[in-house]
Amino acid sequence: MTTQVERMPVAGLCALAVAGFVTILTEALPAGLLRQIGVSLGVSEAMAGQWISIYALGSLLAAIPLTAATRSWRRRPLLLGAIIGFAIANLITALTASFIVAMTARFVGGVSAGLLWALLAGYTVRMAPPGLAGRAMAIAMAGTPLALSIGIPAGTFIGNLAGWRLTFGLLSVIALLLAGQSRRCRISPASLKRNALPWPRSLWFRAYARCWR
């Protein structure tokens, strides 16, 4: 048992957890800062709320098509690309004075989220040593509840205290630091002979994917 625990790639799994944390926080943080965003960009709170909608739309439209298009690609470069997408999207969001540019950046962030969620579970399982996939998933998915319970309240507090642009700038910095740690996300030797994640066979997946042919 001790040997198995020592073999667990904790650093890499924590990097995936942080990626999930950034994904959820990027999506939901605007909900607590709508008034500040609206005043800064000259739009109503209702229009500012479309930041969340456009992000979700990017995730919805990207997840399955990108999974299908990249299923034979190496996982780590895709993971790095998704993380860099967050860094760019959040940086543009923090700097722009244009609502349209911000909406475009949010859509790009949503596409990155769709790609990351498509990768996360399969990548985690392939990082885990044999028999430890469940523990690995528990670590890698810890970022989601942490973002919802701690990240969003803390981000809203910082945004109200120091400005919403600072919070998105910080998210961009976290994503850039995370990109440097992506090298720790190594596939377990036991799964190296699998070059691609298996193509899902569920009925709903095939029905959805048929829309993109």
Side-chain angles (χ1 to χ4, degrees):
M1 179 64 68
T2 302
T3 304
Q4 288 183 331
V5 172
E6 291 175 350
R7 292 173 56 200
M8 179 73 78
V10 175
L13 294 171
C14 286
L16 294 182
V18 174
F21 179 90
V22 170
T23 304
I24 295 295
L25 202 53
T26 299
E27 177 180 9
L29 184 58
L33 301 169
L34 294 180
R35 184 180 63 82
Q36 296 90 326
I37 293 171
V39 170
S40 179
L41 298 181
V43 298
S44 66
E45 290 187 30
M47 285 300 294
Q50 299 309 306
W51 276 22
I52 300 173
S53 300
I54 196 71
Y55 185 98
L57 181 63
S59 298
L60 174 67
L61 295 179
I64 291 179
L66 284 179
T67 301
T70 62
R71 66 185 187 272
S72 62
W73 294 17
R74 292 178 57 205
R75 302 290 96 184
R76 194 186 301 177
L78 287 175
L79 178 65
L80 180 60
I83 294 170
I84 291 175
F86 284 119
I88 294 173
N90 284 319
L91 181 61
I92 293 174
T93 301
L95 296 177
T96 187
S98 168
F99 180 73
I100 299 300
V101 172
M103 287 285 282
T104 303
R106 293 286 297 174
F107 183 82
V108 171
V111 170
S112 298
L115 178 58
L116 188 137
W117 290 129
L119 291 171
L120 195 59
Y123 202 113
T124 300
V125 170
R126 296 180 71 190
M127 285 178 62
L132 294 179
R135 296 184 188 179
M137 287 289 289
I139 297 173
M141 296 301 176
T144 296
L146 288 175
L148 293 171
S149 61
I150 298 175
I152 293 174
T156 301
F157 175 78
I158 294 172
N160 287 319
L161 188 67
W164 66 268
R165 295 183 185 277
L166 176 62
T167 59
F168 284 95
L170 290 175
L171 282 175
S172 181
V173 171
I174 293 172
L176 286 174
L177 294 175
L178 181 60
Q181 294 299 311
S182 64
R183 68 183 186 279
R184 296 181 179 274
C185 300
R186 298 187 177 92
I187 300 300
S188 170
S191 63
L192 283 178
K193 54 180 68 174
R194 290 178 293 175
N195 295 322
L197 293 179
W199 177 251
R201 300 295 181 183
S202 63
L203 181 60
W204 69 266
F205 191 104
R206 285 181 287 170
Y208 187 101
R210 191 174 294 116
C211 298
W212 297 93
R213 292 179 180 175

